[in-house]
């Protein structure tokens, strides 16, 4: 037996990792320490004697528990656990996917539980791709961002037959989302919204705080204020600075605030600072295992098609609007509404221009929102100047003519017939059914899109910025698809109950865009995050 005196940041888990010893073995020879994650600074820790065997013992072999398929040369910026190891644990909660919904559910569980011994696991189909939102990369300009976000094969995997694109990677689509984070008008105004308004308010506040949502990003920018004044002096009294999920804290007292634009990597990091959890990447959930109407775990596959069964008391599916219903379908979990009520936003995207000489001072960025109201079933976003919105160099001379976007975002009704169809006879490489997405605009949707288009033209004239182009978006484009496991009380018209639990299966939850009962005209992610945190709280209560 050897003795190691624990350092200031040590716990039994870090010591096990440091000395490449199995945690269970370390616990068994340190009975004076009750919790593997409790601080142990200054305590004597017993370590097993080095094995006399000429062959290294299994625990001293290369650390398969860290990662099994990433190239060794790659920088690992988050601790990983192998599926082999995860298959030996029974999790209290197992989360599928690390985008907005999965990240938020994990963050809330870790914040609320702290180091209480509950076991949390996360499986992510993609790999480590980027440890931050693309917009935080200082060398990225607007064109580079658009190119990566919409054309790079790693950041924009097309969904066949549509202009929708997935990101299969740690962090999901939050690696490239543009952080606009309004509350949803429907969540307060619609009698059909399944969560009471005071509760929505509470969870919106928690989500806004966690994501740093603020209207300060463009506040004080001269051109933004001029445009706001023009809107306020016409009929748009509700025009406001765009709420954005940005960290505007200065770095002080040794605290580092370097990631301005939020992504769910921040959720994963904050969760990790609170307590450990097991995370496997390149681990695709293909099937939920159920027994007697209860979730029991997951079948997970690696890219080389090795299959693992992970045990869990609760499973949270956060694999996105397309993938979550596919997993449910493949698991034989059917519900009349699952895969149906698909919705997205319609967009009338205008490009407007203005002359630099008309604004002969520091410009600043423009970020203005005209929100949806009972009379206005659309939202208008004014954003730009295109080369100046994110990292910019104030030394670079401005162009003579600058451009910005004026986008009218329209509400698309949630209708049963808009859906994802699964074809069990056509399977992907994991044996899962191919998905065919079917979404058309109703007459009402087209009427709203027409109103949004008129509003864009009207706003452009109020702002005195002539239109350069105006495009209407087809139904199967846009980045806000949602609704395929919508929350509600009636299993005939909803996939989950108002807490995100799949109707009829206890311990099985959904927390991603697919639970949104309808969309209205607001960008969806803040609402998805708020609901995912509420689902996490519900799971915590159910495990007491
Ligand atoms: C360019 C762009 C800009 C955007 N800007 C905004 C904006 O400004 N405001 C806004 O509100 N929204 C915006 N969005 C939309 C926003 O990104 C989505 O609303 C949000 O990311 C959806 O979260 P999600 O959890 O449903 O899915 P995702 O973020 O897509 O996460 C799904 C996760 O599940 C993983 N996964 C998938 N299948 C499996 C499986 N079988 N097993 C394990 N893991 C799996 C994926 O790899 C991913 O990590 C934007 C989107 C794009 C593309």
């Amino acid at each position: 037996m050897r003795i190691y005196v624990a350092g200031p940041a040590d716990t039994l888990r870090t010591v096990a990792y440091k000395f490449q010893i199995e945690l269970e073995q370390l616990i068994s020879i340190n009975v004076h320490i009750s919790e593997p994650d409790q601080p142990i600074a200054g305590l004597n820790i017993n370590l097993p004697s080095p094995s006399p065997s000429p062959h290294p013992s299994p625990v001293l072999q290369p650390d398969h528990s860290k990662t099994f398929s990433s190239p060794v040369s790659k920088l690992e910026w988050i601790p990983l656990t192998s599926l082999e190891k995860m298959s030996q644990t029974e999790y209290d909660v197992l989360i599928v996917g690390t985008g907005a919904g999965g990240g938020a559910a994990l963050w809330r569980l870790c914040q609320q539980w702290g180091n209480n011994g509950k076991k949390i696991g996360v499986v992510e189909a993609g790999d480590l791709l980027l440890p931050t939102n693309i917009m935080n990369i200082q060398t990225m300009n607007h064109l580079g961002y658009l190119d990566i976000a919409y054309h790079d094969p790693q950041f924009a995997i097309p969904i066949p037959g549509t202009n929708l694109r997935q990101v299969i990677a740690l962090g999901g689509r939050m690696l490239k989302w543009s952080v606009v984070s309004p509350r949803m008008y429907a969540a307060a105004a619609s009698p059909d919204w399944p969560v009471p308004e005071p509760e929505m308010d509470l969870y919106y506040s928690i989500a806004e705080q966690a994501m740093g949502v603020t209207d300060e990003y463009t506040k004080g920018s001269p051109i933004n204020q001029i445009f706001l004044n023009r809107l306020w002096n016409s009929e748009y009294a509700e025009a406001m600075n765009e709420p954005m999920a940005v960290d505007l804290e200065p770095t002080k007292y040794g605290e580092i605030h370097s990631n301005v634009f939020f992504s769910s990597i921040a959720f994963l990091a904050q969760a990790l600072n609170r307590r450990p959890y097991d995370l496997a990447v390149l681990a695709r959930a293909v099937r939920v295992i159920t027994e007697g109407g209860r979730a029991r775990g997951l079948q997970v596959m690696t890219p080389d098609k090795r299959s693992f069964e992970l045990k869990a008391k609760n499973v949270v599916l956060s694999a996105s609007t397309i993938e979550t219903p596919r997993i449910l379908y493949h698991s034989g979990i059917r519900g009349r509404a699952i895969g149906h009520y698909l919705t997205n936003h319609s967009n009338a995207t205008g490009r407007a221009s203005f002359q630099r000489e008309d604004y002969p001072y520091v410009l600043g960025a423009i970020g203005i929102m005209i929100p949806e109201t009972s009379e206005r079933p659309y939202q208008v976003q004014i954003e730009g100047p295109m080369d100046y919105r994110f990292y910019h160099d104030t030394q670079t001379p401005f162009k003579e003519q600058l451009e910005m976007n004026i986008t009218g975002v329209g509400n698309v009704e949630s209708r049963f017939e808009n859906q994802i169809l699964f074809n069990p006879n056509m399977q992907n490489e994991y044996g899962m059914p191919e998905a065919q997405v079917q979404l058309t605009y109703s007459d009402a949707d087209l009427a709203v899109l027409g109103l949004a288009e008129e509003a864009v033209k009207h706003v452009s004239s109020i702002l005195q910025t002539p239109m350069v182009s105006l495009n209407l978006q087809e139904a199967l484009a846009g980045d806000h698809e949602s609704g395929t496991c919508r929350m509600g009380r009636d299993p005939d018209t909803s996939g989950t109950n108002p807490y995100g639990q799949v109707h009829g299966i206890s311990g099985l939850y959904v927390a991603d865009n697919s639970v949104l009962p309808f969309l209205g005209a607001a960008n969806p992610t803040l609402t998805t995050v708020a609901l995912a945190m509420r689902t996490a709280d519900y799971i915590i209560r159910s495990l007491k």
Side-chain angles (χ1 to χ4, degrees):
M1 195 83 77
R2 293 173 292 160
I3 301 291
Y4 164 74
V5 181
D10 274 335
T11 63
L12 276 192
R13 198 180 298 274
T14 63
V15 174
Y17 181 65
K18 196 176 287 175
F19 291 94
Q20 296 285 289
I21 300 162
E22 286 287 0
L23 179 61
E24 289 69 25
Q25 187 186 7
L26 200 60
I27 292 171
S28 70
I29 54 175
N30 288 281
V31 288
H32 55 296
I33 295 166
S34 53
E35 282 286 330
D37 299 305
Q38 77 182 61
I40 51 172
L43 295 185
N44 284 352
I45 304 302
N46 299 318
L47 302 180
S49 306
S51 163
S53 156
H55 304 292
S57 73
V59 293
L60 294 175
Q61 283 174 355
D63 186 15
H64 294 299
S65 69
K66 274 282 283 165
T67 182
F68 59 90
S69 52
S70 309
V72 278
S73 60
K74 195 161 63 182
L75 177 67
E76 281 168 13
W77 37 264
I78 187 165
L80 300 175
T81 304
S82 70
L83 284 174
E84 284 89 346
K85 186 143 192 204
M86 284 183 76
S87 62
Q88 290 155 26
T89 301
E90 185 183 20
Y91 290 96
D92 292 288
V93 184
L94 193 52
I95 298 172
V96 176
T98 55
L106 174 71
W107 179 90
R108 186 66 176 171
L109 289 172
C110 292
Q111 291 298 314
Q112 294 299 96
W113 269 343
N115 250 337
N116 67 351
K118 298 274 190 214
K119 293 195 165 56
I120 303 175
V122 183
V123 290
E124 165 55 56
D127 202 353
L128 308 183
L129 186 55
L130 206 63
T132 188
N133 188 318
I134 301 177
M135 296 188 299
N136 290 321
I137 298 175
Q138 286 170 278
T139 48
M140 191 63 59
N141 63 19
H142 184 68
L143 286 178
Y145 165 73
L146 289 182
D147 199 36
I148 291 179
Y150 289 101
H151 304 296
D152 184 299
Q154 295 185 94
F155 284 93
I157 302 168
I159 297 173
T162 74
N163 280 329
L164 306 174
R165 292 172 177 87
Q166 290 177 303
V167 179
I168 300 294
L170 193 78
R173 282 187 299 169
M174 273 196 148
L175 294 180
K176 65 174 185 180
W177 79 311
S178 38
V179 307
V180 179
S181 304
R183 292 188 179 196
M184 214 172 258
Y185 169 75
S190 167
D192 296 331
W193 191 264
V195 179
E197 195 184 340
E199 261 193 79
M200 271 320 290
D201 267 351
L202 171 70
Y203 283 97
Y204 268 139
S205 302
I206 298 169
E208 283 162 348
Q209 210 175 348
M211 294 163 67
V213 178
T214 172
D215 65 357
E216 294 282 330
Y217 182 72
T218 49
K219 212 180 236 175
S221 134
I223 193 164
N224 200 64
Q225 196 54 52
I226 290 171
F227 285 171
L228 266 176
N229 290 343
R230 288 180 185 163
L231 292 166
W232 288 338
N233 292 334
S234 63
E235 70 233 51
Y236 294 111
E238 309 88 348
M240 59 190 197
N241 284 292
E242 215 169 29
M244 294 169 77
V246 285
D247 185 351
L248 299 179
E249 285 296 313
T251 297
K252 59 180 179 187
Y253 309 133
E255 266 186 34
I256 296 174
H257 296 261
S258 57
N259 284 251
V260 176
F261 299 101
F262 186 83
S263 78
S264 58
I265 302 297
F267 278 145
L268 304 184
Q270 287 166 23
L272 201 57
N273 287 339
R274 188 90 174 96
R275 54 160 290 152
Y277 54 84
D278 289 346
L279 165 68
V281 296
L282 296 166
R284 183 175 289 261
V286 293
R287 199 192 299 269
V288 180
I289 300 164
T290 57
E291 196 183 290
R294 246 218 93 81
R296 288 285 175 227
L298 279 175
Q299 182 194 355
V300 177
M301 288 176 76
T302 61
D304 59 1
K305 309 301 173 307
R306 286 181 299 148
S307 177
F308 294 85
E309 282 197 12
L310 307 187
K311 294 184 276 302
K313 297 189 178 105
N314 293 279
V315 171
V316 181
L317 298 179
S318 302
S320 81
T321 293
I322 310 290
E323 294 304 327
T324 288
R326 194 206 301 256
I327 297 170
L328 290 173
Y329 184 94
H330 194 48
S331 312
I333 298 169
R334 309 283 156 79
R336 183 178 175 274
I338 292 176
H340 292 261
Y341 296 100
L342 174 68
T343 183
N344 202 345
H345 279 138
S346 63
N347 276 309
T349 306
R351 189 56 82 98
S353 72
F354 55 94
Q355 299 302 318
R356 174 70 180 125
E357 64 185 8
D358 294 338
Y359 303 91
Y361 31 71
V362 173
L363 276 182
I366 305 162
I368 295 175
M369 175 173 285
I370 304 172
E372 181 182 7
T373 63
S374 54
E375 288 82 42
R376 196 189 300 129
Y378 55 85
Q379 166 180 291
V380 180
Q381 288 171 237
I382 304 155
E383 293 163 346
M386 297 329 292
D387 304 331
Y388 195 74
R389 193 163 152 75
F390 302 121
Y391 282 94
H392 53 265
D393 180 354
T394 48
Q395 305 297 309
T396 309
F398 282 115
K399 294 175 187 162
E400 284 308 302
Q401 181 172 308
L402 291 162
E403 290 189 355
M404 63 181 186
N405 278 346
I406 306 178
T407 310
V409 183
N411 177 15
V412 172
E413 293 181 302
S414 297
R415 292 184 297 132
F416 181 81
E417 46 284 31
N418 285 337
Q419 60 182 299
I420 305 175
L421 295 159
F422 296 107
N423 183 350
N425 299 321
M426 296 215 1
Q427 295 176 351
N428 68 11
E429 53 179 326
Y430 294 92
M432 299 179 83
E434 289 293 352
Q436 191 196 332
V437 184
Q438 187 174 291
L439 196 161
T440 54
Y441 290 146
S442 67
D443 290 346
D445 300 334
L446 288 170
V448 170
L449 184 55
L451 292 174
E453 182 185 5
E454 286 313 307
V456 169
K457 291 182 196 159
H458 189 41
V459 165
S460 140
S461 103
I462 291 169
L463 297 181
Q464 302 159 31
T465 53
M467 299 292 303
V468 177
S469 63
L470 179 55
N471 294 311
L472 300 187
Q473 181 185 282
E474 56 184 282
L476 280 174
D479 302 310
H480 297 166
E481 69 275 11
S482 48
T484 50
C485 295
R486 64 203 301 244
M487 282 183 174
R489 288 176 196 89
D490 182 356
D492 249 13
T493 54
S494 58
T496 70
N497 76 13
Y499 289 100
Q501 187 199 306
V502 175
H503 288 299
I505 315 270
S506 52
L508 179 59
Y509 298 87
V510 177
D512 56 24
N513 275 13
S514 70
V515 295
L516 296 175
F518 28 83
L519 202 48
N523 318 54
T525 310
L526 176 72
T527 307
T528 292
V529 165
L531 292 174
M533 291 176 174
R534 181 171 174 271
T535 294
D537 279 358
Y538 183 78
I539 295 172
I540 289 171
R541 286 198 297 277
S542 77
L543 281 172
K544 271 191 177 148

